[in-house]
PDB file of all heavy atoms in Angstrom:
ATOM      1  N   LEU A 107     -41.200 -27.530 -94.902  1.00 82.00           N
ATOM      2  CA  LEU A 107     -39.895 -28.176 -94.709  1.00 82.00           C
ATOM      3  C   LEU A 107     -38.778 -27.295 -95.255  1.00 82.00           C
ATOM      4  O   LEU A 107     -37.718 -27.154 -94.630  1.00 82.00           O
ATOM      5  CB  LEU A 107     -39.897 -29.550 -95.397  1.00 82.00           C
ATOM      6  CG  LEU A 107     -38.662 -30.419 -95.194  1.00 82.00           C
ATOM      7  CD1 LEU A 107     -38.483 -30.739 -93.722  1.00 82.00           C
ATOM      8  CD2 LEU A 107     -38.782 -31.689 -96.003  1.00 82.00           C
ATOM      9  N   MET A 108     -38.977 -26.664 -96.389  1.00 85.00           N
ATOM     10  CA  MET A 108     -37.978 -25.762 -96.968  1.00 85.00           C
ATOM     11  C   MET A 108     -37.785 -24.535 -96.062  1.00 85.00           C
ATOM     12  O   MET A 108     -36.655 -24.074 -95.890  1.00 85.00           O
ATOM     13  CB  MET A 108     -38.406 -25.312 -98.363  1.00 85.00           C
ATOM     14  CG  MET A 108     -38.579 -26.428 -99.351  1.00 85.00           C
ATOM     15  SD  MET A 108     -37.150 -26.757-100.330  1.00 85.00           S
ATOM     16  CE  MET A 108     -37.047 -25.348-101.339  1.00 85.00           C
ATOM     17  N   LEU A 109     -38.853 -24.044 -95.489  1.00 85.00           N
ATOM     18  CA  LEU A 109     -38.762 -22.905 -94.590  1.00 85.00           C
ATOM     19  C   LEU A 109     -37.972 -23.278 -93.326  1.00 85.00           C
ATOM     20  O   LEU A 109     -37.101 -22.523 -92.883  1.00 85.00           O
ATOM     21  CB  LEU A 109     -40.170 -22.415 -94.215  1.00 85.00           C
ATOM     22  CG  LEU A 109     -40.230 -21.230 -93.247  1.00 85.00           C
ATOM     23  CD1 LEU A 109     -39.637 -19.994 -93.915  1.00 85.00           C
ATOM     24  CD2 LEU A 109     -41.656 -20.977 -92.807  1.00 85.00           C
ATOM     25  N   VAL A 110     -38.230 -24.433 -92.748  1.00 86.00           N
ATOM     26  CA  VAL A 110     -37.511 -24.877 -91.554  1.00 86.00           C
ATOM     27  C   VAL A 110     -36.021 -25.061 -91.885  1.00 86.00           C
ATOM     28  O   VAL A 110     -35.141 -24.651 -91.117  1.00 86.00           O
ATOM     29  CB  VAL A 110     -38.131 -26.182 -90.992  1.00 86.00           C
ATOM     30  CG1 VAL A 110     -37.241 -26.807 -89.931  1.00 86.00           C
ATOM     31  CG2 VAL A 110     -39.520 -25.914 -90.431  1.00 86.00           C
ATOM     32  N   ALA A 111     -35.701 -25.660 -93.024  1.00 86.00           N
ATOM     33  CA  ALA A 111     -34.301 -25.855 -93.414  1.00 86.00           C
ATOM     34  C   ALA A 111     -33.611 -24.510 -93.612  1.00 86.00           C
ATOM     35  O   ALA A 111     -32.448 -24.328 -93.220  1.00 86.00           O
ATOM     36  CB  ALA A 111     -34.226 -26.692 -94.694  1.00 86.00           C
ATOM     37  N   SER A 112     -34.280 -23.542 -94.195  1.00 90.00           N
ATOM     38  CA  SER A 112     -33.696 -22.211 -94.385  1.00 90.00           C
ATOM     39  C   SER A 112     -33.437 -21.522 -93.048  1.00 90.00           C
ATOM     40  O   SER A 112     -32.409 -20.864 -92.865  1.00 90.00           O
ATOM     41  CB  SER A 112     -34.626 -21.342 -95.236  1.00 90.00           C
ATOM     42  OG  SER A 112     -34.754 -21.878 -96.515  1.00 90.00           O
ATOM     43  N   VAL A 113     -34.356 -21.659 -92.117  1.00 89.00           N
ATOM     44  CA  VAL A 113     -34.184 -21.052 -90.798  1.00 89.00           C
ATOM     45  C   VAL A 113     -32.986 -21.702 -90.081  1.00 89.00           C
ATOM     46  O   VAL A 113     -32.160 -21.007 -89.480  1.00 89.00           O
ATOM     47  CB  VAL A 113     -35.480 -21.178 -89.962  1.00 89.00           C
ATOM     48  CG1 VAL A 113     -35.234 -20.822 -88.502  1.00 89.00           C
ATOM     49  CG2 VAL A 113     -36.568 -20.283 -90.541  1.00 89.00           C
ATOM     50  N   VAL A 114     -32.851 -23.017 -90.168  1.00 88.00           N
ATOM     51  CA  VAL A 114     -31.734 -23.711 -89.524  1.00 88.00           C
ATOM     52  C   VAL A 114     -30.415 -23.271 -90.155  1.00 88.00           C
ATOM     53  O   VAL A 114     -29.430 -23.006 -89.455  1.00 88.00           O
ATOM     54  CB  VAL A 114     -31.917 -25.247 -89.606  1.00 88.00           C
ATOM     55  CG1 VAL A 114     -30.653 -25.985 -89.200  1.00 88.00           C
ATOM     56  CG2 VAL A 114     -33.088 -25.683 -88.732  1.00 88.00           C
ATOM     57  N   GLN A 115     -30.369 -23.157 -91.470  1.00 91.00           N
ATOM     58  CA  GLN A 115     -29.148 -22.680 -92.136  1.00 91.00           C
ATOM     59  C   GLN A 115     -28.814 -21.250 -91.731  1.00 91.00           C
ATOM     60  O   GLN A 115     -27.657 -20.903 -91.494  1.00 91.00           O
ATOM     61  CB  GLN A 115     -29.305 -22.756 -93.662  1.00 91.00           C
ATOM     62  CG  GLN A 115     -29.165 -24.147 -94.212  1.00 91.00           C
ATOM     63  CD  GLN A 115     -29.317 -24.164 -95.724  1.00 91.00           C
ATOM     64  OE1 GLN A 115     -29.879 -23.239 -96.315  1.00 91.00           O
ATOM     65  NE2 GLN A 115     -28.839 -25.236 -96.337  1.00 91.00           N
ATOM     66  N   GLY A 116     -29.827 -20.416 -91.641  1.00 90.00           N
ATOM     67  CA  GLY A 116     -29.616 -19.024 -91.233  1.00 90.00           C
ATOM     68  C   GLY A 116     -29.086 -18.942 -89.807  1.00 90.00           C
ATOM     69  O   GLY A 116     -28.170 -18.162 -89.511  1.00 90.00           O
ATOM     70  N   LEU A 117     -29.624 -19.752 -88.900  1.00 90.00           N
ATOM     71  CA  LEU A 117     -29.123 -19.770 -87.518  1.00 90.00           C
ATOM     72  C   LEU A 117     -27.676 -20.284 -87.466  1.00 90.00           C
ATOM     73  O   LEU A 117     -26.857 -19.762 -86.709  1.00 90.00           O
ATOM     74  CB  LEU A 117     -30.023 -20.639 -86.640  1.00 90.00           C
ATOM     75  CG  LEU A 117     -31.381 -20.027 -86.257  1.00 90.00           C
ATOM     76  CD1 LEU A 117     -32.225 -21.044 -85.499  1.00 90.00           C
ATOM     77  CD2 LEU A 117     -31.190 -18.774 -85.440  1.00 90.00           C
ATOM     78  N   GLY A 118     -27.360 -21.295 -88.259  1.00 88.00           N
ATOM     79  CA  GLY A 118     -25.984 -21.792 -88.315  1.00 88.00           C
ATOM     80  C   GLY A 118     -25.024 -20.724 -88.800  1.00 88.00           C
ATOM     81  O   GLY A 118     -23.935 -20.542 -88.230  1.00 88.00           O
ATOM     82  N   LEU A 119     -25.430 -19.997 -89.841  1.00 88.00           N
ATOM     83  CA  LEU A 119     -24.594 -18.911 -90.356  1.00 88.00           C
ATOM     84  C   LEU A 119     -24.437 -17.812 -89.312  1.00 88.00           C
ATOM     85  O   LEU A 119     -23.337 -17.288 -89.110  1.00 88.00           O
ATOM     86  CB  LEU A 119     -25.208 -18.351 -91.640  1.00 88.00           C
ATOM     87  CG  LEU A 119     -24.455 -17.218 -92.321  1.00 88.00           C
ATOM     88  CD1 LEU A 119     -23.080 -17.709 -92.763  1.00 88.00           C
ATOM     89  CD2 LEU A 119     -25.234 -16.692 -93.511  1.00 88.00           C
ATOM     90  N   LEU A 120     -25.507 -17.476 -88.620  1.00 88.00           N
ATOM     91  CA  LEU A 120     -25.443 -16.465 -87.567  1.00 88.00           C
ATOM     92  C   LEU A 120     -24.500 -16.899 -86.440  1.00 88.00           C
ATOM     93  O   LEU A 120     -23.680 -16.097 -85.965  1.00 88.00           O
ATOM     94  CB  LEU A 120     -26.847 -16.185 -87.019  1.00 88.00           C
ATOM     95  CG  LEU A 120     -26.937 -15.133 -85.922  1.00 88.00           C
ATOM     96  CD1 LEU A 120     -26.557 -13.763 -86.479  1.00 88.00           C
ATOM     97  CD2 LEU A 120     -28.328 -15.112 -85.325  1.00 88.00           C
ATOM     98  N   LEU A 121     -24.567 -18.147 -86.024  1.00 88.00           N
ATOM     99  CA  LEU A 121     -23.675 -18.650 -84.980  1.00 88.00           C
ATOM    100  C   LEU A 121     -22.217 -18.613 -85.435  1.00 88.00           C
ATOM    101  O   LEU A 121     -21.327 -18.273 -84.652  1.00 88.00           O
ATOM    102  CB  LEU A 121     -24.070 -20.061 -84.572  1.00 88.00           C
ATOM    103  CG  LEU A 121     -25.350 -20.172 -83.732  1.00 88.00           C
ATOM    104  CD1 LEU A 121     -25.709 -21.634 -83.507  1.00 88.00           C
ATOM    105  CD2 LEU A 121     -25.186 -19.462 -82.411  1.00 88.00           C
ATOM    106  N   CYS A 122     -21.952 -18.956 -86.683  1.00 85.00           N
ATOM    107  CA  CYS A 122     -20.577 -18.882 -87.206  1.00 85.00           C
ATOM    108  C   CYS A 122     -20.070 -17.448 -87.180  1.00 85.00           C
ATOM    109  O   CYS A 122     -18.924 -17.193 -86.789  1.00 85.00           O
ATOM    110  CB  CYS A 122     -20.514 -19.441 -88.625  1.00 85.00           C
ATOM    111  SG  CYS A 122     -20.642 -21.231 -88.699  1.00 85.00           S
ATOM    112  N   LEU A 123     -20.889 -16.508 -87.604  1.00 85.00           N
ATOM    113  CA  LEU A 123     -20.481 -15.102 -87.602  1.00 85.00           C
ATOM    114  C   LEU A 123     -20.223 -14.604 -86.173  1.00 85.00           C
ATOM    115  O   LEU A 123     -19.257 -13.868 -85.934  1.00 85.00           O
ATOM    116  CB  LEU A 123     -21.535 -14.243 -88.292  1.00 85.00           C
ATOM    117  CG  LEU A 123     -21.622 -14.407 -89.812  1.00 85.00           C
ATOM    118  CD1 LEU A 123     -22.806 -13.629 -90.364  1.00 85.00           C
ATOM    119  CD2 LEU A 123     -20.331 -13.960 -90.467  1.00 85.00           C
ATOM    120  N   ILE A 124     -21.073 -14.998 -85.232  1.00 85.00           N
ATOM    121  CA  ILE A 124     -20.872 -14.597 -83.834  1.00 85.00           C
ATOM    122  C   ILE A 124     -19.553 -15.173 -83.311  1.00 85.00           C
ATOM    123  O   ILE A 124     -18.776 -14.474 -82.661  1.00 85.00           O
ATOM    124  CB  ILE A 124     -22.066 -15.044 -82.958  1.00 85.00           C
ATOM    125  CG1 ILE A 124     -23.297 -14.204 -83.296  1.00 85.00           C
ATOM    126  CG2 ILE A 124     -21.732 -14.934 -81.475  1.00 85.00           C
ATOM    127  CD1 ILE A 124     -24.577 -14.701 -82.637  1.00 85.00           C
ATOM    128  N   TYR A 125     -19.276 -16.431 -83.610  1.00 83.00           N
ATOM    129  CA  TYR A 125     -18.027 -17.056 -83.169  1.00 83.00           C
ATOM    130  C   TYR A 125     -16.815 -16.330 -83.748  1.00 83.00           C
ATOM    131  O   TYR A 125     -15.852 -16.045 -83.030  1.00 83.00           O
ATOM    132  CB  TYR A 125     -18.009 -18.533 -83.568  1.00 83.00           C
ATOM    133  CG  TYR A 125     -16.705 -19.208 -83.242  1.00 83.00           C
ATOM    134  CD1 TYR A 125     -16.415 -19.599 -81.942  1.00 83.00           C
ATOM    135  CD2 TYR A 125     -15.755 -19.432 -84.229  1.00 83.00           C
ATOM    136  CE1 TYR A 125     -15.216 -20.202 -81.629  1.00 83.00           C
ATOM    137  CE2 TYR A 125     -14.545 -20.035 -83.926  1.00 83.00           C
ATOM    138  CZ  TYR A 125     -14.284 -20.420 -82.629  1.00 83.00           C
ATOM    139  OH  TYR A 125     -13.087 -21.005 -82.332  1.00 83.00           O
ATOM    140  N   ILE A 126     -16.852 -16.016 -85.019  1.00 82.00           N
ATOM    141  CA  ILE A 126     -15.729 -15.318 -85.666  1.00 82.00           C
ATOM    142  C   ILE A 126     -15.536 -13.938 -85.048  1.00 82.00           C
ATOM    143  O   ILE A 126     -14.407 -13.540 -84.743  1.00 82.00           O
ATOM    144  CB  ILE A 126     -15.953 -15.236 -87.189  1.00 82.00           C
ATOM    145  CG1 ILE A 126     -15.812 -16.634 -87.813  1.00 82.00           C
ATOM    146  CG2 ILE A 126     -14.982 -14.259 -87.843  1.00 82.00           C
ATOM    147  CD1 ILE A 126     -16.230 -16.709 -89.255  1.00 82.00           C
ATOM    148  N   CYS A 127     -16.620 -13.219 -84.832  1.00 80.00           N
ATOM    149  CA  CYS A 127     -16.512 -11.875 -84.232  1.00 80.00           C
ATOM    150  C   CYS A 127     -15.960 -11.955 -82.811  1.00 80.00           C
ATOM    151  O   CYS A 127     -15.100 -11.147 -82.426  1.00 80.00           O
ATOM    152  CB  CYS A 127     -17.863 -11.182 -84.228  1.00 80.00           C
ATOM    153  SG  CYS A 127     -18.423 -10.698 -85.878  1.00 80.00           S
ATOM    154  N   LEU A 128     -16.427 -12.892 -82.019  1.00 78.00           N
ATOM    155  CA  LEU A 128     -15.919 -13.030 -80.649  1.00 78.00           C
ATOM    156  C   LEU A 128     -14.448 -13.435 -80.646  1.00 78.00           C
ATOM    157  O   LEU A 128     -13.679 -12.997 -79.797  1.00 78.00           O
ATOM    158  CB  LEU A 128     -16.746 -14.055 -79.875  1.00 78.00           C
ATOM    159  CG  LEU A 128     -18.148 -13.610 -79.470  1.00 78.00           C
ATOM    160  CD1 LEU A 128     -18.887 -14.758 -78.788  1.00 78.00           C
ATOM    161  CD2 LEU A 128     -18.098 -12.394 -78.567  1.00 78.00           C
ATOM    162  N   HIS A 129     -14.063 -14.254 -81.590  1.00 74.00           N
ATOM    163  CA  HIS A 129     -12.669 -14.688 -81.659  1.00 74.00           C
ATOM    164  C   HIS A 129     -11.745 -13.507 -81.972  1.00 74.00           C
ATOM    165  O   HIS A 129     -10.683 -13.372 -81.388  1.00 74.00           O
ATOM    166  CB  HIS A 129     -12.509 -15.783 -82.717  1.00 74.00           C
ATOM    167  CG  HIS A 129     -11.108 -16.245 -82.896  1.00 74.00           C
ATOM    168  ND1 HIS A 129     -10.472 -17.025 -81.965  1.00 74.00           N
ATOM    169  CD2 HIS A 129     -10.209 -16.011 -83.884  1.00 74.00           C
ATOM    170  CE1 HIS A 129      -9.238 -17.263 -82.370  1.00 74.00           C
ATOM    171  NE2 HIS A 129      -9.056 -16.664 -83.529  1.00 74.00           N
ATOM    172  N   PHE A 130     -12.144 -12.644 -82.891  1.00 75.00           N
ATOM    173  CA  PHE A 130     -11.287 -11.522 -83.262  1.00 75.00           C
ATOM    174  C   PHE A 130     -11.313 -10.398 -82.229  1.00 75.00           C
ATOM    175  O   PHE A 130     -10.359  -9.642 -82.114  1.00 75.00           O
ATOM    176  CB  PHE A 130     -11.676 -10.976 -84.640  1.00 75.00           C
ATOM    177  CG  PHE A 130     -11.186 -11.829 -85.752  1.00 75.00           C
ATOM    178  CD1 PHE A 130     -12.072 -12.441 -86.619  1.00 75.00           C
ATOM    179  CD2 PHE A 130      -9.825 -12.058 -85.941  1.00 75.00           C
ATOM    180  CE1 PHE A 130     -11.619 -13.238 -87.640  1.00 75.00           C
ATOM    181  CE2 PHE A 130      -9.367 -12.855 -86.958  1.00 75.00           C
ATOM    182  CZ  PHE A 130     -10.264 -13.454 -87.819  1.00 75.00           C
ATOM    183  N   HIS A 131     -12.392 -10.282 -81.475  1.00 72.00           N
ATOM    184  CA  HIS A 131     -12.482  -9.213 -80.492  1.00 72.00           C
ATOM    185  C   HIS A 131     -12.059  -9.660 -79.088  1.00 72.00           C
ATOM    186  O   HIS A 131     -12.009  -8.846 -78.183  1.00 72.00           O
ATOM    187  CB  HIS A 131     -13.896  -8.634 -80.447  1.00 72.00           C
ATOM    188  CG  HIS A 131     -14.236  -7.870 -81.684  1.00 72.00           C
ATOM    189  ND1 HIS A 131     -13.567  -6.732 -82.058  1.00 72.00           N
ATOM    190  CD2 HIS A 131     -15.155  -8.102 -82.652  1.00 72.00           C
ATOM    191  CE1 HIS A 131     -14.066  -6.286 -83.192  1.00 72.00           C
ATOM    192  NE2 HIS A 131     -15.035  -7.101 -83.582  1.00 72.00           N
ATOM    193  N   ALA A 132     -11.757 -10.934 -78.905  1.00 68.00           N
ATOM    194  CA  ALA A 132     -11.301 -11.421 -77.599  1.00 68.00           C
ATOM    195  C   ALA A 132      -9.890 -10.893 -77.351  1.00 68.00           C
ATOM    196  O   ALA A 132      -9.100 -10.742 -78.270  1.00 68.00           O
ATOM    197  CB  ALA A 132     -11.309 -12.942 -77.566  1.00 68.00           C
ATOM    198  N   PRO A 133      -9.564 -10.592 -76.102  1.00 73.00           N
ATOM    199  CA  PRO A 133      -8.204 -10.122 -75.813  1.00 73.00           C
ATOM    200  C   PRO A 133      -7.191 -11.215 -76.141  1.00 73.00           C
ATOM    201  O   PRO A 133      -7.369 -12.376 -75.772  1.00 73.00           O
ATOM    202  CB  PRO A 133      -8.229  -9.813 -74.316  1.00 73.00           C
ATOM    203  CG  PRO A 133      -9.400 -10.557 -73.781  1.00 73.00           C
ATOM    204  CD  PRO A 133     -10.383 -10.690 -74.912  1.00 73.00           C
ATOM    205  N   GLN A 134      -6.158 -10.831 -76.857  1.00 70.00           N
ATOM    206  CA  GLN A 134      -5.130 -11.773 -77.266  1.00 70.00           C
ATOM    207  C   GLN A 134      -4.085 -11.879 -76.163  1.00 70.00           C
ATOM    208  O   GLN A 134      -3.187 -11.057 -76.068  1.00 70.00           O
ATOM    209  CB  GLN A 134      -4.483 -11.318 -78.584  1.00 70.00           C
ATOM    210  CG  GLN A 134      -5.458 -11.240 -79.743  1.00 70.00           C
ATOM    211  CD  GLN A 134      -6.029 -12.598 -80.121  1.00 70.00           C
ATOM    212  OE1 GLN A 134      -5.369 -13.607 -79.995  1.00 70.00           O
ATOM    213  NE2 GLN A 134      -7.282 -12.600 -80.556  1.00 70.00           N
ATOM    214  N   VAL A 135      -4.207 -12.879 -75.313  1.00 67.00           N
ATOM    215  CA  VAL A 135      -3.283 -13.101 -74.215  1.00 67.00           C
ATOM    216  C   VAL A 135      -2.350 -14.238 -74.610  1.00 67.00           C
ATOM    217  O   VAL A 135      -2.815 -15.340 -74.896  1.00 67.00           O
ATOM    218  CB  VAL A 135      -4.036 -13.463 -72.913  1.00 67.00           C
ATOM    219  CG1 VAL A 135      -3.075 -13.745 -71.786  1.00 67.00           C
ATOM    220  CG2 VAL A 135      -5.006 -12.360 -72.555  1.00 67.00           C
ATOM    221  N   PRO A 136      -1.062 -13.977 -74.665  1.00 69.00           N
ATOM    222  CA  PRO A 136      -0.158 -15.065 -75.012  1.00 69.00           C
ATOM    223  C   PRO A 136      -0.124 -16.096 -73.896  1.00 69.00           C
ATOM    224  O   PRO A 136      -0.302 -15.764 -72.722  1.00 69.00           O
ATOM    225  CB  PRO A 136       1.205 -14.376 -75.165  1.00 69.00           C
ATOM    226  CG  PRO A 136       1.094 -13.140 -74.357  1.00 69.00           C
ATOM    227  CD  PRO A 136      -0.360 -12.731 -74.401  1.00 69.00           C
ATOM    228  N   PRO A 137       0.089 -17.362 -74.232  1.00 66.00           N
ATOM    229  CA  PRO A 137       0.157 -18.378 -73.185  1.00 66.00           C
ATOM    230  C   PRO A 137       1.346 -18.122 -72.262  1.00 66.00           C
ATOM    231  O   PRO A 137       2.399 -17.679 -72.706  1.00 66.00           O
ATOM    232  CB  PRO A 137       0.336 -19.693 -73.959  1.00 66.00           C
ATOM    233  CG  PRO A 137       0.773 -19.294 -75.320  1.00 66.00           C
ATOM    234  CD  PRO A 137       0.308 -17.898 -75.558  1.00 66.00           C
ATOM    235  N   GLN A 138       1.142 -18.378 -71.001  1.00 71.00           N
ATOM    236  CA  GLN A 138       2.180 -18.136 -70.008  1.00 71.00           C
ATOM    237  C   GLN A 138       2.929 -19.432 -69.724  1.00 71.00           C
ATOM    238  O   GLN A 138       2.401 -20.326 -69.082  1.00 71.00           O
ATOM    239  CB  GLN A 138       1.568 -17.598 -68.714  1.00 71.00           C
ATOM    240  CG  GLN A 138       0.865 -16.268 -68.884  1.00 71.00           C
ATOM    241  CD  GLN A 138       1.841 -15.160 -69.224  1.00 71.00           C
ATOM    242  OE1 GLN A 138       2.941 -15.124 -68.708  1.00 71.00           O
ATOM    243  NE2 GLN A 138       1.449 -14.272 -70.110  1.00 71.00           N
ATOM    244  N   TYR A 139       4.122 -19.533 -70.249  1.00 71.00           N
ATOM    245  CA  TYR A 139       4.958 -20.694 -69.988  1.00 71.00           C
ATOM    246  C   TYR A 139       6.018 -20.301 -68.966  1.00 71.00           C
ATOM    247  O   TYR A 139       6.607 -19.233 -69.053  1.00 71.00           O
ATOM    248  CB  TYR A 139       5.652 -21.170 -71.263  1.00 71.00           C
ATOM    249  CG  TYR A 139       4.688 -21.623 -72.330  1.00 71.00           C
ATOM    250  CD1 TYR A 139       4.526 -20.895 -73.501  1.00 71.00           C
ATOM    251  CD2 TYR A 139       3.939 -22.772 -72.162  1.00 71.00           C
ATOM    252  CE1 TYR A 139       3.643 -21.311 -74.477  1.00 71.00           C
ATOM    253  CE2 TYR A 139       3.054 -23.192 -73.121  1.00 71.00           C
ATOM    254  CZ  TYR A 139       2.907 -22.462 -74.288  1.00 71.00           C
ATOM    255  OH  TYR A 139       2.031 -22.875 -75.240  1.00 71.00           O
ATOM    256  N   PRO A 140       6.276 -21.157 -68.012  1.00 71.00           N
ATOM    257  CA  PRO A 140       7.326 -20.830 -67.043  1.00 71.00           C
ATOM    258  C   PRO A 140       8.687 -20.861 -67.734  1.00 71.00           C
ATOM    259  O   PRO A 140       8.873 -21.593 -68.703  1.00 71.00           O
ATOM    260  CB  PRO A 140       7.217 -21.938 -65.994  1.00 71.00           C
ATOM    261  CG  PRO A 140       6.536 -23.059 -66.695  1.00 71.00           C
ATOM    262  CD  PRO A 140       5.654 -22.444 -67.738  1.00 71.00           C
ATOM    263  N   PRO A 141       9.623 -20.077 -67.250  1.00 75.00           N
ATOM    264  CA  PRO A 141      10.946 -20.083 -67.879  1.00 75.00           C
ATOM    265  C   PRO A 141      11.632 -21.428 -67.654  1.00 75.00           C
ATOM    266  O   PRO A 141      11.531 -22.009 -66.575  1.00 75.00           O
ATOM    267  CB  PRO A 141      11.700 -18.962 -67.165  1.00 75.00           C
ATOM    268  CG  PRO A 141      11.000 -18.824 -65.853  1.00 75.00           C
ATOM    269  CD  PRO A 141       9.558 -19.178 -66.108  1.00 75.00           C
ATOM    270  N   ILE A 142      12.288 -21.898 -68.675  1.00 81.00           N
ATOM    271  CA  ILE A 142      13.039 -23.143 -68.560  1.00 81.00           C
ATOM    272  C   ILE A 142      14.398 -22.807 -67.981  1.00 81.00           C
ATOM    273  O   ILE A 142      15.129 -21.978 -68.525  1.00 81.00           O
ATOM    274  CB  ILE A 142      13.170 -23.831 -69.929  1.00 81.00           C
ATOM    275  CG1 ILE A 142      11.791 -24.263 -70.399  1.00 81.00           C
ATOM    276  CG2 ILE A 142      14.118 -25.016 -69.841  1.00 81.00           C
ATOM    277  CD1 ILE A 142      11.772 -24.878 -71.769  1.00 81.00           C
ATOM    278  N   ARG A 143      14.724 -23.411 -66.891  1.00 86.00           N
ATOM    279  CA  ARG A 143      16.007 -23.157 -66.237  1.00 86.00           C
ATOM    280  C   ARG A 143      17.076 -23.972 -66.946  1.00 86.00           C
ATOM    281  O   ARG A 143      16.964 -25.191 -67.053  1.00 86.00           O
ATOM    282  CB  ARG A 143      15.937 -23.532 -64.773  1.00 86.00           C
ATOM    283  CG  ARG A 143      14.744 -22.859 -64.109  1.00 86.00           C
ATOM    284  CD  ARG A 143      15.081 -22.381 -62.775  1.00 86.00           C
ATOM    285  NE  ARG A 143      13.885 -21.810 -62.188  1.00 86.00           N
ATOM    286  CZ  ARG A 143      13.858 -20.610 -61.664  1.00 86.00           C
ATOM    287  NH1 ARG A 143      14.930 -19.882 -61.643  1.00 86.00           N
ATOM    288  NH2 ARG A 143      12.758 -20.145 -61.149  1.00 86.00           N
ATOM    289  N   SER A 144      18.098 -23.278 -67.421  1.00 87.00           N
ATOM    290  CA  SER A 144      19.164 -23.963 -68.142  1.00 87.00           C
ATOM    291  C   SER A 144      20.428 -23.124 -68.118  1.00 87.00           C
ATOM    292  O   SER A 144      20.391 -21.930 -67.812  1.00 87.00           O
ATOM    293  CB  SER A 144      18.745 -24.211 -69.591  1.00 87.00           C
ATOM    294  OG  SER A 144      18.575 -22.979 -70.260  1.00 87.00           O
ATOM    295  N   ILE A 145      21.524 -23.784 -68.446  1.00 89.00           N
ATOM    296  CA  ILE A 145      22.805 -23.093 -68.565  1.00 89.00           C
ATOM    297  C   ILE A 145      23.676 -23.895 -69.520  1.00 89.00           C
ATOM    298  O   ILE A 145      23.614 -25.122 -69.554  1.00 89.00           O
ATOM    299  CB  ILE A 145      23.499 -22.908 -67.203  1.00 89.00           C
ATOM    300  CG1 ILE A 145      24.713 -21.996 -67.349  1.00 89.00           C
ATOM    301  CG2 ILE A 145      23.869 -24.238 -66.589  1.00 89.00           C
ATOM    302  CD1 ILE A 145      25.283 -21.514 -66.035  1.00 89.00           C
ATOM    303  N   GLY A 146      24.448 -23.166 -70.286  1.00 90.00           N
ATOM    304  CA  GLY A 146      25.467 -23.752 -71.148  1.00 90.00           C
ATOM    305  C   GLY A 146      26.811 -23.209 -70.710  1.00 90.00           C
ATOM    306  O   GLY A 146      27.187 -22.109 -71.104  1.00 90.00           O
ATOM    307  N   ALA A 147      27.520 -23.943 -69.875  1.00 90.00           N
ATOM    308  CA  ALA A 147      28.810 -23.484 -69.353  1.00 90.00           C
ATOM    309  C   ALA A 147      29.939 -24.064 -70.201  1.00 90.00           C
ATOM    310  O   ALA A 147      29.853 -25.187 -70.691  1.00 90.00           O
ATOM    311  CB  ALA A 147      28.971 -23.906 -67.906  1.00 90.00           C
TER     312      ALA A 147
END
């Protein structure tokens, strides 16, 4: 039971590290908002 719990914790830690690495290495694309049409006359 201790071995299974350690393996599950290790997999959770590995998944967290993979998520963090993918997040930092993903291309940073700013959100595309359409221009707001306005005028102050």
Side-chain angles (χ1 to χ4, degrees):
L107 185 61
M108 300 266 291
L109 179 65
V110 169
S112 296
V113 168
V114 169
Q115 283 180 340
L117 285 175
L119 181 63
L120 181 66
L121 287 174
C122 286
L123 288 173
I124 289 171
Y125 175 78
I126 290 171
C127 290
L128 287 176
H129 178 73
F130 283 118
H131 291 297
Q134 299 295 328
V135 178
Q138 298 293 322
Y139 298 111
I142 294 176
R143 308 220 182 232
S144 64
I145 189 168

